[in-house]
């Protein structure tokens, strides 16, 4: 019921617009910034942002944006960021997460890392289809459809704001991050001048896509 109520909080189009803006940022968002981005009054934005926080979809913190402290520094601003907590709605109820955790624990205990990466690479190829993904823009579109929330940095590197396997990767980091890397290798196989590699950073996906020399095909 809790997740049902959280999703219900997004029924309002203004509230959903605010949530989508905050979720897309890589920094905590103030009420003024959110209001300006959504094109609404600050008081209305504050109301909807607080409702989203009450529903557990956003987290809040207070901080002085000037960086100053002491008398005359002004009141701390209330800032919002997307909650890292997973939300899912299934009718009737299903429990795929427990099944995934059991399978991951079994694979880790049995030392099946290489077999898992081989299967993940094949699955990536199957998701890609017969033709290689062409160009960085096409790659970003593919990653966006898979839920990775790609962000392009200077120099042609694409870093991903979201890990679709976040809960499992926290419990079984080497196993699941290796699987994720192999999946993306299969998905992007044949994309000339691009490669995927590990580059873990807190709060981001453990992999990045970057421009490089011609890619090499795997024979797994």
């Amino acid at each position: 019921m809790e997740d049902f109520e959280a999703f219900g909080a997004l029924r309002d189009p203004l509230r959903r617009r605010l949530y989508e803006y905050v979720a897309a940022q890589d920094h905590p968002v103030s009420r003024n910034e959110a209001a300006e981005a959504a094109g609404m009054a600050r008081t209305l934005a504050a109301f909807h942002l607080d409702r989203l926080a009450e529903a557990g979809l956003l987290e809040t913190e207070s901080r002085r944006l000037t960086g100053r402290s002491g008398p005359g520094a002004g009141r701390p601003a209330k800032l919002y960021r997307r909650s890292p907590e997973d939300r899912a709605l299934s009718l009737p109820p299903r429990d795929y997460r427990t099944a995934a955790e059991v399978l991951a624990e079994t694979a880790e205990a049995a030392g099946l890392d290489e077999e898992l990466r081989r299967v993940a690479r094949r699955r990536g190829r199957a998701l890609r289809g017969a033709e290689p993904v062409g160009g960085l823009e096409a790659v970003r579109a593919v990653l966006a459809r898979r839920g990775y929330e790609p962000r392009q940095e200077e120099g042609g590197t694409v870093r991903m704001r979201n890990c679709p396997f976040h809960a499992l990767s926290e419990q079984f980091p080497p196993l699941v991050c290796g699987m994720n890397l192999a999946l993306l290798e299969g998905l992007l196989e044949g994309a000339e001048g691009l490669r995927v590699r590990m580059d873990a950073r807190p709060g981001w996906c453990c992999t990045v896509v970057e421009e490089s020399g011609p890619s090499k095909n795997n024979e797994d």
Side-chain angles (χ1 to χ4, degrees):
M1 182 61 68
E2 182 179 341
D3 284 352
F4 183 82
E5 293 173 351
F7 287 120
L10 296 173
R11 292 183 60 188
D12 185 288
L14 294 180
R15 196 171 297 168
R16 187 165 62 250
R17 190 191 314 168
L18 283 167
Y19 174 79
E20 289 172 348
Y21 176 78
V22 174
Q25 308 311 307
D26 59 2
H27 61 274
V29 174
S30 69
R31 290 171 168 176
N32 286 339
E33 179 184 346
E36 183 176 353
M40 64 180 71
R42 182 184 182 279
T43 52
L44 181 60
F47 170 79
H48 286 306
L49 289 168
D50 286 340
R51 298 293 82 75
L52 290 167
E54 290 172 5
L57 294 169
L58 297 180
E59 290 184 335
T60 65
E61 65 176 272
S62 294
R63 176 159 41 92
R64 287 187 174 91
L65 300 181
T66 62
R68 296 159 53 197
S69 60
R75 296 177 58 187
K78 192 171 187 179
L79 306 176
Y80 302 81
R81 65 160 62 88
R82 179 173 61 182
S83 170
E85 184 177 351
D86 293 341
R87 297 286 181 178
L89 180 63
S90 177
L91 298 173
R94 306 295 189 205
D95 191 6
Y96 301 113
R97 178 168 174 174
T98 296
E101 290 172 349
V102 170
L103 291 169
E105 186 174 348
T106 302
E108 185 175 71
L112 299 177
D113 301 61
E114 289 188 13
E115 289 82 356
L116 180 61
R117 288 194 293 269
R118 187 176 300 113
V119 173
R121 198 171 287 112
R122 285 204 302 266
R123 176 56 63 90
R125 294 187 188 113
L127 292 172
R128 179 198 67 206
E131 297 296 325
V133 180
L136 201 55
E137 287 302 316
V139 166
R140 288 177 59 190
V142 169
L143 293 173
R145 289 197 297 270
R146 303 302 309 172
Y148 284 94
E149 298 183 4
R151 301 286 186 273
Q152 186 164 345
E153 299 178 342
E154 292 183 7
T157 298
V158 175
R159 195 172 296 276
M160 289 161 273
R161 284 265 298 144
N162 184 53
C163 172
F165 317 109
H166 173 71
L168 284 177
S169 68
E170 289 200 321
Q171 295 183 64
F172 312 96
L175 183 79
V176 176
C177 289
M179 179 202 73
N180 185 34
L181 176 66
L183 181 75
L184 291 176
E185 286 174 343
L187 186 67
L188 303 183
E189 188 176 281
E192 293 298 327
L194 297 174
R195 69 167 182 168
V196 56
R197 64 177 178 85
M198 297 291 292
D199 187 13
R201 291 187 183 181
W204 295 77
C205 177
C206 60
T207 60
V208 296
V209 178
E210 63 184 10
E211 295 180 323
S212 66
S215 62
K216 296 181 180 180
N217 290 337
N218 275 295
E219 300 300 330
D220 292 342

